[in-house]
Amino acid sequence: MNCKPLKKEEHRKEMMAVQDSMDVLSGKWKIAIISSICYYNKRRFSDILNDVVGISNKMLSKELKELEINKLIKRTVLETQPITVQYELTKHGKSLQTIINNLTDWGIKHRKEIIGDSSETHINAEFETVTAEII
Amino acid sequence: MNCKPLKKEEHRKEMMAVQDSMDVLSGKWKIAIISSICYYNKRRFSDILNDVVGISNKMLSKELKELEINKLIKRTVLETQPITVQYELTKHGKSLQTIINNLTDWGIKHRKEIIGDSSETHINAEFETVTAEII
DNA sequence: CCGTATCCCCGGGGATACTG
DNA sequence: CAGTATCCCCGGGGATACGG
């Protein structure tokens, strides 16, 4: 988005590229998953399931598959008993760090901009726990 | 995502921040809209409707509203006849440029990584035109 | 343990028509 | 022109159960 100096044609290509990135990252849980794996370096299915609060096994399976297709993570089956599976970031996956750091910084700026506050909760956090079953 | 050196608590905060950013950006059309406005500097509703291929007026209206709530764009009603409305990026909106540039660069890298190719079409492009009605 | 299969619901979002 | 209102469909995604 260098805005001004670009010809329309180049602008179109830039937009496609951004969209490609977003397609890879914008799944509901992608970043949380990447972050979990990155934080622990190597991580197993059930561990990630615990790290990423709220995700179902179905979704985790699906998101991991997509991340693998996009070559961001590597999946390794360990011949333990019973079988365990290990996930880790590929080089390509690690190359996301800059992006994620920028998104982090901007997210903090944004929070201040919007609510002038750096409270605990995620801005769009859901509050199911509050509305929990009464009956 | 500085991965290693962070305590769990800080890691949690970082993830929230990234998620805040993604919530703002990951709408189906957000980036295209921002990009359109940025490219032309000031832009009207119907113009954006044309720029962003495939978007409906309903969605455009909705997305613009969200962008405005997040203070990324400024909406100005012009007292023309009939009325026209002008959208432009706020300072906060413009602060996204770094992010979007990074996403652009990464998107290009990613395309090469995945298909070893820099063809014309958007990776996940839909191909409805091909499967168009035969009957 | 690591997923897949099945069921089912809800809301995202398109098409179209209408208003100020 | 710049949206709202209405209708309606489809698939994302949760809960649960099952298989290797």
Side-chain angles (χ1 to χ4, degrees), chain B residues 82-98:
Chain B
I83 277 174
T84 53
V85 180
Q86 199 170 67
Y87 293 92
E88 54 195 314
L89 291 190
T90 62
K91 193 176 168 194
H92 187 222
K94 286 177 187 160
S95 76
L96 275 172
Q97 256 190 262
T98 316

Side-chain angles (χ1 to χ4, degrees), chain A residues 1-4 6-9 11-28 31-36 38-41 43 51 69-72 89 92-111 113-115 118-124, chain B residues 1-4 6-9 11-28 31-36 38-41 43 51 69-72 89 92-111 113-115 118-124:
Chain A
M1 189 168 75
N2 293 314
C3 295
K4 276 337 194 22
L6 291 177
K7 294 207 189 94
K8 265 214 164 181
E9 177 59 17
H11 180 238
R12 224 189 87 256
K13 283 196 183 172
E14 282 213 347
M15 288 207 25
M16 278 174 20
V18 186
Q19 211 47 59
D20 288 338
S21 299
M22 292 302 287
D23 287 342
V24 171
L25 296 178
S26 68
K28 195 176 179 186
I31 297 209
I33 294 170
I34 292 173
S35 195
S36 160
C38 183
Y39 184 69
Y40 292 101
N41 205 15
R43 205 71 176 147
D51 295 342
I69 288 174
N70 284 309
K71 295 183 184 169
L72 299 184
L89 291 190
H92 186 223
K94 286 177 187 160
S95 76
L96 275 172
Q97 258 191 260
T98 316
I99 302 252
I100 296 193
N101 285 336
N102 287 332
L103 287 169
T104 305
D105 295 343
W106 193 86
I108 292 168
K109 263 183 55 187
H110 178 62
R111 177 185 294 271
E113 187 81 22
I114 297 302
I115 40 177
S118 43
S119 66
E120 280 302 287
T121 53
H122 175 200
I123 291 184
N124 290 325
Chain B
M1 189 168 76
N2 293 314
C3 294
K4 277 338 191 25
L6 290 178
K7 295 208 189 91
K8 265 212 164 183
E9 178 59 17
H11 180 238
R12 225 188 87 258
K13 283 196 183 174
E14 282 212 347
M15 287 206 28
M16 278 172 21
V18 187
Q19 211 48 57
D20 288 338
S21 299
M22 292 303 286
D23 288 342
V24 172
L25 296 178
S26 67
K28 194 174 178 187
I31 297 207
I33 293 170
I34 292 174
S35 196
S36 161
C38 182
Y39 184 71
Y40 292 101
N41 206 14
R43 205 70 175 146
D51 295 342
I69 288 174
N70 282 309
K71 296 185 183 167
L72 299 184
L89 291 190
H92 187 222
K94 286 177 187 160
S95 76
L96 275 172
Q97 256 190 262
T98 316
I99 302 252
I100 296 191
N101 285 336
N102 287 331
L103 286 170
T104 306
D105 295 343
W106 194 85
I108 292 167
K109 262 183 57 187
H110 178 63
R111 176 185 295 270
E113 187 81 22
I114 297 302
I115 40 178
S118 44
S119 66
E120 281 302 288
T121 52
H122 175 199
I123 291 183
N124 290 325

Side-chain angles (χ1 to χ4, degrees), chain A residues 116-134:
Chain A
D117 167 35
S118 43
S119 66
E120 280 302 287
T121 53
H122 175 200
I123 291 184
N124 290 325
E126 308 179 21
F127 29 119
E128 297 170 23
T129 44
V130 179
T131 43
E133 322 285 305
I134 300 187

